Amino acid sequence: MEIQALLITFREVLEALLIIGIITTYLKRMDHAQYNKYVWLGAGLAVLASVGVAMLFQVVFTGFAAMGNEIYLKIGIMLISTILLTQMVFWMAEHSKDIKGNMEGKMNKFISTGNIVGMVIHSFLVVLREGVETVFFFAAITGGNIGAALQGWGALTGVIIAAIVSYFFFKGTMHISLKTFFKVTGAFIILIAAGLLVQAISMMQDVGMIGSVIPHVYDITWLLPEHSIDHAHYIRDHGTEPLLSGDIGIFLKALFGYSSMPSIEEVIAYIGYFVVIYLLTGYQPKGKTKSAAEVTTFNAQVK
């Protein structure tokens, strides 16, 4: 869970800081630094609103738990988070091509029309989007206990790393290809999304929402149990130790949705997810591929 929390907060916080930083840097360069306070006001309000969303979500989840329906909410959260994580990767891959141009164009429009409220709302929505996504992702990886994700080292570490990267980015001392950077982090996010998808399917099968043609395609518990309990059961039933610890299985299940005894539906969904991702990314028009290649470094986005 901590690794997942780190990747999610790092990605979300960095995107928010990247956009807000580009806006404030541009305003300062154009001698309109007096508007920066409105940009930060919108960002600050969005952070508070995100906290409110997290609290509201926790109240709703607690209500479902009291009614004995929390499992269905967990399944819904995992499915929605899978969609959001996937959409997030594609959105950033598309918009990283011209973040600078898009943000500067919007700021010019707000300044020319004197629309300070629009400036505040714009920065508010930019940060709120990341905040709401983070709430859903934390709920997905913790089974609804958002506070558990915030209390661990992963979330805080992700925020710190994002802040450090942003600092050196705007100081002009970090040269990183945006295209490569978002490809690498996006690959990890896609793996997490695939894991959430198969875990949701597994839970739906456990509660009888869907059946299974082949409940267990294979059983590699002897190699790597997916939980320490399975590890103990294997020793009890066979009198020997699995090759690898169930603690490793817990880590891989939380991060990538690993299962030592997956159903045929889980296998198909997992493989099918990556096939769909490949089809969506591997057959883009040549014009789009060329445009994406025009993105060079972090520094080039703000200079």
Side-chain angles (χ1 to χ4, degrees):
M1 182 187 75
E2 299 301 339
I3 299 296
Q4 289 172 300
L6 187 154
L7 287 171
I8 289 169
T9 54
F10 171 64
R11 180 74 181 237
E12 296 290 338
V13 172
L14 182 62
E15 285 184 21
L17 290 177
L18 179 65
I19 295 174
I20 295 299
I22 287 174
I23 292 173
T24 55
T25 300
Y26 174 70
L27 290 175
K28 183 177 180 180
R29 189 170 70 245
M30 299 302 292
D31 294 325
H32 291 300
Q34 69 272 20
Y35 292 111
N36 280 346
K37 58 185 177 183
Y38 300 112
V39 175
W40 286 112
L41 173 61
L45 291 174
V47 171
L48 293 177
S50 299
V51 173
V53 170
M55 294 174 64
L56 177 61
F57 183 93
Q58 203 66 65
V59 170
V60 173
F61 184 84
T62 302
F64 269 80
M67 294 185 293
N69 295 322
E70 62 179 299
I71 186 68
Y72 300 104
L73 183 58
K74 289 180 180 180
I75 292 171
I77 292 170
M78 286 185 173
L79 292 175
I80 292 173
S81 295
T82 298
I83 296 172
L84 289 177
L85 281 168
T86 306
Q87 181 271 340
M88 177 181 75
V89 172
F90 281 99
W91 185 90
M92 202 59 195
E94 176 67 24
H95 289 76
S96 63
K97 294 183 293 185
D98 195 22
I99 292 178
K100 177 175 176 289
N102 289 335
M103 295 302 106
E104 289 182 357
K106 290 179 179 178
M107 288 304 106
N108 284 334
K109 183 177 180 180
F110 291 141
I111 292 172
S112 63
T113 59
N115 189 359
I116 294 177
V117 174
M119 196 176 296
V120 174
I121 292 176
H122 177 258
S123 59
F124 173 83
L125 293 177
V126 164
V127 178
L128 181 64
R129 174 180 180 272
E130 313 301 336
V132 172
E133 286 179 350
T134 302
V135 170
F136 267 94
F137 301 153
F138 279 1
I141 65 176
T142 62
N145 187 3
I146 299 173
L150 296 175
Q151 293 169 5
W153 58 265
L156 179 60
T157 303
V159 172
I160 292 173
I161 295 176
I164 292 173
V165 170
S166 298
Y167 174 78
F168 286 111
F169 158 38
F170 289 108
K171 282 292 184 180
T173 58
M174 181 173 286
H175 297 266
I176 301 177
S177 168
L178 274 178
K179 182 180 178 182
T180 301
F181 176 80
F182 286 113
K183 271 189 176 181
V184 173
T185 57
F188 280 103
I189 295 297
I190 288 296
L191 286 172
I192 292 175
L196 290 175
L197 175 61
V198 296
Q199 287 184 67
I201 291 174
S202 177
M203 292 173 70
M204 285 190 285
Q205 291 176 330
D206 289 341
V207 299
M209 290 179 65
I210 59 175
S212 177
V213 177
I214 304 177
H216 302 301
V217 178
Y218 55 79
D219 184 353
I220 55 173
T221 305
W222 58 271
L223 172 64
L224 176 60
E226 65 182 75
H227 198 279
S228 55
I229 295 177
D230 298 315
H231 187 121
H233 287 174
Y234 186 85
I235 296 175
R236 181 197 64 192
D237 297 336
H238 297 83
T240 58
E241 289 267 358
L243 293 180
L244 298 173
S245 169
D247 293 331
I248 299 176
I250 292 176
F251 173 77
L252 293 178
K253 184 176 183 64
L255 190 59
F256 302 128
Y258 167 76
S259 175
S260 59
M261 296 184 293
S263 67
I264 186 64
E265 291 78 16
E266 291 177 73
V267 173
I268 292 175
Y270 198 77
I271 296 175
Y273 177 82
F274 290 112
V275 169
V276 171
I277 295 298
Y278 173 75
L279 292 176
L280 291 175
T281 58
Y283 292 97
Q284 293 180 347
K286 292 183 178 180
K288 286 189 176 182
T289 303
K290 181 178 179 181
S291 179
E294 294 173 357
V295 183
T296 53
T297 64
F298 270 128
N299 295 65
Q301 291 287 325
V302 293
K303 285 186 177 181

